[in-house]
Amino acid sequence: MANKKNYQKTLFTCTGWFVSLLLFFPIFWMIHTSFKTELDAFSMPPRFFFFDATLENYGIVQERSNYFHFALNSVILSFGSTLLGLLIAIPAAWAMAFRPSKRTRGTLMWILSTKMMPPVGVLVPLYLIFRDFKLLDTRIGLTIILMLINLPIIVWMLYTYFKEVPHPLLEAARLDGANLWQEIRHVLVPITFGGIASTFLLSVIFAWNEAFWTLNLTASDAAPLTAFIASYSSPEGLFWAKLSAASTMAVAPILIFGWFSQRQLVQGMTFGAVK
Amino acid sequence: MELRRSDIILSRLAAGPSILLLFVWMVVPLAMTIYFSFLNYNLLEPGMEQWTGLLNYEFFFTDPAFGKALLNTLVMVGMIIILSVILGLLTAVLLNQDFWGRGITRVLAISPFFIMPTVSALLWKNMLMHPVSGFFAWLFDLVNLEPIDWLADFPLGSIIMMITWQWVPFAALILLTSLQSLDESQVEAAKIDGAGPIRMFLYITVPHLMRSVVVVILIESIFLLTIFAEIFVTTGGGPGLETTNIAFLVYSQALLQFDVGGAAAGGVVAVILANIVAVFLMRMIGKNLD
């Protein structure tokens, strides 16, 4: 019996690692290539071990375009839009979870359906609005757009977490004379902190990777890492090592962020589907 | 619970900003788009805007590209959802087993979800799918097969493969969470009743996962209906119209042909299509909200 258990565990270990490494392989290959010389990056058969490891690609990429400028913009945009979104969404989710009316369900559906609007459908008008309000290529303009894009998901996720909170808990706070702000701040937020944290993480990831509005509404000042990497998509010969270095730089912050918050993310990503 | 009048006002105030913002976000650009769609409005001819009625729509619908793009959109969304749910489910079941190094494998397996679409598109297009120096070409060479020029010979399939890679981890994440909440006592009871692993999977695990599967389908279709960056970076909609979806068709009309009126008409059609899909999905998910 113990033998069979061990055999089974070995089998799962092998398949588990195989599948995970398979899924991770493209990312590994990108990081791997970024340390090669351009010649080695292209060589056939590919060189796995015996190549001249170099950091020069990173230096060249940094020289060509100031990475930190783009990275800072990505941080400001993704965190700024997420915080702003949470600030607006928490009261809304509270109202829908604890003071539902006949229209609440319809409103929730409608909120989610706004997310299905194809961005291209409204690109031109939005571009014109941005131009007229001098918001093109500004961090504030893009923060608002990213906030609006993620708002439906934020409201929806928060709603599913808030719904799990027993009403009497909030009623008790109310009877003790707490106003709405205190009720949310001292009772609701602490209880649902895990859920709010996962919502926060997911929204940051989506905002970081958003590549339609960030490409179309920025030029340089507010351009985040999506624009940084897009400048390498033009066919200017095949410089795979440099492309890999730039790609690695663009995804490294969010990848590390995701790895560290993985546990919280996994726990929270149920969207109310798990009871 | 009895609602007092002040409560009602308070809850309206609390929900107000979100709803108002989304309403403006949706209605203002949409109204402008609808207005533009009735104009002959080309950025190359400023000041020449003219009312043309439904002409833009007529052009858009009679353009053979429209049918092709619609079909491509549906194929992409459908295939990617089916593949990512099946592969995600298998991955989730596997990662839910007890084995050595499970924590690390989980981190590795969900990583593609964090990669931005532009990066993943560049990575697949160049380093993996390149017909001469790509990694797949080397693999084919190893087994003495003729390397494939992926994006030229199987453009739509290649795009589907690439995007499925991005979404399998997402499906696996959600299904894994759901698996972890599976009631152990139910599993034990079934075991005692002599149910084999396959029967247990079909009659206990799968029904338990249905709600999560619905959620995965909903979220993925929201994002997949508007796929853009991957096509933009890899194939540019081609060869021909092979990988043009509705989003890319509207984009090429607006920004490559400077035809704002035509693009606006396409945009309106895209919004209507999205809403048709939304209605179906909302019915599905509606039950999940209670």
Side-chain angles (χ1 to χ4, degrees):
Chain A
M1 190 67 190
N3 230 340
K4 194 190 163 200
K5 266 251 159 74
N6 253 334
Y7 168 74
Q8 227 176 30
K9 198 166 172 178
T10 312
L11 189 73
F12 281 134
T13 308
C14 292
T15 32
W17 276 92
F18 177 74
V19 169
S20 302
L21 289 175
L22 199 65
L23 278 167
F24 188 72
F25 180 77
I27 300 169
F28 162 78
W29 197 240
M30 170 184 83
I31 300 171
H32 189 251
T33 308
S34 74
F35 294 116
K36 293 178 182 173
T37 60
E38 290 297 350
L39 206 63
D40 281 338
F42 241 124
S43 73
M44 226 9 173
R47 302 199 166 182
F48 287 92
F49 303 107
F50 303 106
F51 61 90
D52 301 320
T54 171
L55 284 173
E56 69 170 6
N57 297 313
Y58 287 91
I60 295 170
V61 168
Q62 172 62 22
E63 236 168 70
R64 207 187 106 164
S65 41
N66 185 6
Y67 168 74
F68 295 101
H69 167 73
F70 294 95
L72 181 68
N73 277 336
S74 271
V75 171
I76 292 174
L77 293 176
S78 53
F79 282 81
S81 64
T82 298
L83 289 173
L84 197 63
L86 279 176
L87 205 66
I88 296 168
I90 288 178
W94 168 85
M96 288 186 231
F98 299 108
R99 302 285 185 276
S101 71
K102 270 176 283 176
R103 271 170 298 166
T104 297
R105 206 168 127 170
T107 311
L108 267 172
M109 301 285 189
W110 171 77
I111 284 181
L112 205 58
S113 79
T114 63
K115 183 85 189 116
M116 297 197 179
M117 180 172 67
V120 272
V122 292
L123 174 61
V124 174
L126 219 77
Y127 186 88
L128 298 178
I129 293 172
F130 262 53
R131 190 192 60 193
D132 293 345
F133 283 89
K134 303 251 178 302
L135 285 171
L136 280 177
D137 202 16
T138 61
R139 287 173 186 156
I140 182 74
L142 216 54
T143 304
I144 294 170
I145 294 282
L146 291 176
M147 184 273 282
L148 286 166
I149 284 177
N150 280 330
L151 195 57
I153 299 252
I154 297 179
V155 170
W156 198 44
M157 276 181 84
L158 289 177
Y159 169 79
T160 60
Y161 297 124
F162 288 0
K163 252 186 92 73
E164 303 296 308
V165 177
H167 285 217
L169 266 174
L170 294 187
E171 288 299 309
R174 180 62 68 85
L175 289 177
D176 287 343
N179 60 28
L180 175 61
W181 166 245
Q182 289 165 327
E183 186 184 320
I184 290 182
R185 166 83 181 71
H186 295 293
V187 184
L188 188 60
V189 170
I191 294 176
T192 54
F193 191 76
I196 295 176
S198 334
T199 311
F200 176 86
L201 294 173
L202 196 66
S203 168
V204 167
I205 293 168
F206 282 146
W208 187 281
N209 291 337
E210 203 289 324
F212 183 80
W213 296 111
T214 51
L215 288 180
N216 282 312
L217 296 180
T218 62
S220 61
D221 289 351
L225 287 168
T226 46
F228 168 79
I229 200 67
S231 68
Y232 284 84
S233 67
S234 48
E236 45 161 71
L238 289 159
F239 294 108
W240 287 4
K242 280 170 210 77
L243 171 67
S244 299
S247 300
T248 306
M249 287 159 92
V251 299
I254 201 73
L255 198 58
I256 293 165
F257 178 76
W259 282 344
F260 277 106
S261 56
Q262 178 252 146
R263 201 167 289 269
Q264 183 58 48
L265 196 65
V266 174
Q267 275 167 10
M269 279 193 14
T270 63
F271 296 93
V274 177
K275 279 275 155 77
Chain B
M1 188 173 42
E2 195 190 335
L3 282 182
R4 278 166 298 152
R5 192 168 179 76
S6 63
D7 262 358
I8 295 173
I9 294 172
L10 191 63
S11 66
R12 293 237 170 103
L13 279 178
S18 289
I19 295 174
L20 194 73
L21 275 171
L22 284 173
F23 187 73
V24 172
W25 161 240
M26 207 173 159
V27 165
V28 172
L30 198 59
M32 287 172 77
T33 301
I34 292 172
Y35 173 66
F36 289 160
S37 73
F38 295 117
L39 295 182
N40 176 9
Y41 182 179
N42 195 305
L43 289 178
L44 295 180
E45 304 158 8
M48 300 282 282
E49 293 91 46
Q50 262 179 339
W51 185 265
T52 55
L54 291 172
L55 201 62
N56 284 324
Y57 289 93
E58 203 185 309
F59 276 130
F60 192 77
F61 280 119
T62 52
D63 185 349
F66 169 69
K68 184 75 184 151
L70 180 62
L71 185 70
N72 283 340
T73 308
L74 296 177
V75 170
M76 273 186 215
V77 175
M79 286 301 290
I80 295 168
I81 286 178
I82 292 170
L83 287 172
S84 66
V85 166
I86 293 174
L87 297 175
L89 179 62
L90 294 176
T91 311
V93 170
L94 188 61
L95 293 182
N96 197 36
Q97 306 300 326
D98 176 36
F99 63 81
W100 290 291
R102 187 171 65 163
I104 302 170
T105 57
R106 274 187 196 168
V107 169
L108 292 177
I110 63 168
S111 297
F113 180 59
F114 304 128
I115 304 298
M116 47 181 82
T118 35
V119 166
S120 110
L122 284 171
L123 169 63
W124 279 77
K125 178 190 177 187
N126 293 313
M127 270 97 82
L128 298 178
M129 287 176 166
H130 192 276
V132 179
S133 306
F135 191 80
F136 293 161
W138 176 67
L139 283 183
F140 272 68
D141 222 34
L142 272 189
V143 288
N144 278 326
L145 283 175
E146 193 69 20
I148 295 175
D149 189 352
W150 293 90
L151 286 163
D153 294 340
F154 304 100
L156 194 59
S158 301
I159 299 246
I160 288 172
M161 191 156 92
M162 183 190 308
I163 300 174
T164 302
W165 174 71
Q166 291 173 329
W167 285 97
V168 165
F170 176 80
L173 260 181
I174 291 188
L175 297 175
L176 184 61
T177 322
S178 178
L179 276 177
Q180 286 168 344
S181 74
L182 189 60
D183 191 2
E184 282 301 319
S185 61
Q186 215 183 350
V187 178
E188 286 304 314
K191 248 186 205 162
I192 292 165
D193 288 345
I198 293 173
R199 283 175 65 107
M200 288 217 315
F201 181 74
L202 287 180
Y203 292 104
I204 296 178
T205 313
V206 170
H208 173 77
L209 289 176
M210 272 330 280
R211 282 167 76 98
S212 300
V213 169
V214 169
V215 166
V216 172
I217 294 174
L218 177 81
I219 304 262
E220 285 196 12
S221 33
I222 287 175
F223 282 89
L224 296 177
L225 272 173
T226 56
I227 293 174
F228 175 79
E230 289 88 343
I231 297 172
F232 177 74
V233 172
T234 54
T235 63
L241 293 166
E242 288 305 312
T243 54
T244 299
N245 65 354
I246 296 278
F248 197 84
L249 181 67
V250 176
Y251 165 82
S252 61
Q253 211 137 32
L255 294 185
L256 303 181
Q257 299 167 27
F258 303 103
D259 178 7
V260 176
V268 172
V269 174
V271 170
I272 292 170
L273 281 175
N275 276 294
I276 294 173
V277 176
V279 167
F280 279 110
L281 289 168
M282 291 301 167
R283 288 239 174 97
M284 256 166 69
I285 201 79
K287 297 178 203 113
N288 264 25
L289 281 176
D290 295 322

